[in-house]
Amino acid sequence: MSTKSYDSDDISDNYGGYKKHSAGEDHTTVAWTAHRKHFFILSSAGKPIYARYGDESRISSYMGVIQALISFFADNDDSIRCINAGQHRFVFLLKPPLYLVCVSRSGESETQLRDQLNYLYAQIISVLTHSQMTRIFEQRNNFDLRGLIGGTEIFLDSLGKLMNSYPGFMLGAIQCLTMPKALRDKVGTVLGRAKCKPLLYAILLTPTQLITLLRPRTHSMHPADLHLIFNLLSGSTTFESSESWTPICLPKFNNKSFLHAYICYIAKRVCMLLISPDKDSFFEMSSVKQKVVEGLEAGGMLASLESYAAAGSRGDTGIPGLRHFLYKSRTNVQFTMPELTDAYSSLSAKKRLLRQYQHMHERMHRKTRPLKLLYHVGENETMLGWITNSFELYAAFGPLVSKSAVVLMSNKLLKWIRKQEDSLLILNSPSFEKFK
């Protein structure tokens, strides 16, 4: 059990010892250049901070070129944003004292790649806070930030992987675990009754799906902050074996200071995360966890949660020809999707489907001539995109399905979703005030 309370100065010791699997790749080899998407982070003084592949200290010459390009435009009172060169797209995000760059030939748009860079920036802020980082570079412009974030690169690496497989980042929405509304309400009641004074947020979740979240009525939680929490759980297995107490900055909530998170898996696939502004409240959070576990076990709910977490989102719509779909409730900022069918059993097919969704999403949300409806026939699947004021739907069908059949099946899908909505989404998020 970890009971240490961390101050901001202790951050570099929190996840020490990590060495990424691609650290040994030489930037002069074919293996390094073959990667379809690279991320680079450097300081405004040109100091290397992070590279997705290889050792960032060995590609300092690349970092120098990036810094020179940015400085050239800055000297002319301009700001570089994107360079398109053949199949490659170079996207820049300037957040002094940090510069973030993506070099990609994945086919993703400039906006999508910049959104990913914003998430990488938020990941660094979650470890340091904006105030601490600004103060450091004000004192020493050429400071080597790797000393402070050392060991936490595991979460930058995992974020890069997660953004390539999890559509929540593209949609700006949270996926909820599919389960009966009655069970979710009972779980929320048990969680709410265990509230204590230092508790700000109480969350039950799987590594990528939200089960329930309790919050003060005056404080919501932004999807981007929840995505960072998902990444925290997905990026490391250390949380699975013990109670953990770690500082975390949620940039959308407050990028200037730390909160403290109690993290404990109460079942194999079910994690409890309790967030407090008080760094000395570990034992109170542990007591809350114990009360919740006892309440869930007494009602047989914990076993049910584990069962639904293991089952995933089956999404048995009964619609032949429908292969997969993404449905986002714009009102609730949540989305649902079923498990992938046999048509997407291979890694290449999974990646192709996500790219199709990304292309559809980018085209429909384009600043110039956005679309409400998009029908696309491809070699491997027929795609439909549909946007209204209340929802967004992206669906994949077999390649030989006709347009009229796609429209008919899409309407059937919407009826099915509306019928199952209270089990697919959290329609009324509870607050702590309800349990006073």
Side-chain angles (χ1 to χ4, degrees), residues 10-307:
D10 298 324
I11 291 299
S12 60
D13 297 326
N14 197 5
Y15 303 105
Y18 170 70
K19 186 174 180 63
K20 58 185 176 183
H21 71 277
S22 59
E25 288 188 359
D26 192 323
H27 64 281
T28 62
T29 63
V30 174
W32 190 82
T33 56
H35 292 297
R36 297 180 65 83
K37 184 161 57 179
H38 289 262
F39 292 120
F40 303 103
I41 304 176
L42 63 153
S43 71
S44 53
K47 287 272 189 180
I49 295 172
Y50 172 80
R52 186 182 184 191
Y53 300 110
D55 185 344
E56 64 277 349
S57 62
R58 295 180 183 176
I59 55 173
S60 55
S61 58
Y62 285 94
M63 301 291 193
V65 171
I66 292 171
Q67 200 268 346
L69 277 171
I70 295 170
S71 297
F72 175 81
F73 280 84
D75 290 342
N76 290 277
D77 296 323
D78 203 350
S79 178
I80 188 170
R81 291 179 58 83
C82 182
I83 298 174
N84 294 314
Q87 291 184 329
H88 288 83
R89 178 167 281 144
F90 299 72
V91 178
F92 298 77
L93 178 67
L94 310 184
K95 293 277 191 178
L98 299 187
Y99 296 155
L100 300 93
V101 180
C102 178
V103 180
S104 172
R105 54 186 178 89
S106 64
E108 294 164 276
S109 70
E110 176 188 347
T111 299
Q112 289 168 339
L113 295 174
R114 185 168 289 107
D115 286 344
Q116 293 173 26
L117 291 176
N118 270 306
Y119 268 107
L120 289 173
Y121 176 74
Q123 178 60 51
I124 291 179
I125 295 300
S126 76
V127 174
L128 292 176
T129 78
H130 183 270
S131 298
Q132 183 187 12
M133 186 174 66
T134 302
R135 184 170 64 251
I136 288 169
F137 280 97
E138 283 176 349
Q139 295 171 355
R140 288 178 57 190
N141 184 49
N142 64 342
F143 182 80
D144 189 346
L145 198 63
R146 288 175 295 175
L148 270 184
I149 67 170
T152 66
E153 299 96 331
I154 186 173
F155 300 111
L156 291 170
D157 287 350
S158 66
L159 187 58
K161 294 177 183 176
L162 203 56
M163 291 187 295
N164 266 347
S165 59
Y166 183 64
F169 294 94
M170 173 189 74
L171 296 172
I174 296 300
Q175 184 182 12
C176 298
L177 180 66
T178 301
M179 58 191 292
K181 179 181 183 298
L183 175 60
R184 201 189 308 271
D185 289 345
K186 289 178 182 178
V187 170
T189 299
V190 172
L191 198 60
R193 287 174 179 168
K195 182 186 184 304
C196 67
K197 189 174 181 181
L199 185 57
L200 181 62
Y201 293 108
I203 311 171
L204 283 178
L205 67 167
T206 75
T208 56
Q209 295 175 312
L210 180 64
I211 296 172
T212 191
L213 183 154
L214 269 74
R215 57 179 178 80
R217 186 168 292 145
T218 54
H219 293 291
S220 60
M221 181 170 280
H222 196 281
D225 286 340
L226 266 172
H227 286 151
L228 292 180
I229 289 173
F230 286 142
N231 184 55
L232 184 69
L233 300 183
S234 301
S236 176
T237 58
T238 57
F239 297 116
E240 298 176 8
S241 56
S242 65
E243 296 176 289
S244 298
W245 184 240
T246 183
I248 184 172
C249 173
L250 300 177
K252 293 294 185 180
F253 176 78
N254 182 0
N255 66 6
K256 297 179 181 178
S257 64
F258 283 111
L259 297 170
H260 294 263
Y262 172 90
I263 305 171
C264 181
Y265 274 80
I266 60 175
K268 186 176 180 180
R269 298 176 180 84
V270 180
C271 181
M272 178 180 293
L273 195 140
L274 306 173
I275 298 178
S276 170
D278 182 1
K279 69 178 183 180
D280 298 317
S281 60
F282 169 84
F283 291 104
E284 289 176 273
M285 298 300 106
S286 184
S287 177
V288 168
K289 184 268 299 185
Q290 190 60 38
K291 291 177 183 176
V292 171
V293 170
E294 290 172 359
L296 293 177
E297 287 180 336
M301 289 175 271
L302 190 55
S304 295
L305 287 179
E306 172 67 6
S307 176

Side-chain angles (χ1 to χ4, degrees), residues 17 106 168 319 336 353:
S106 64
I319 302 174
T336 185
L353 178 63

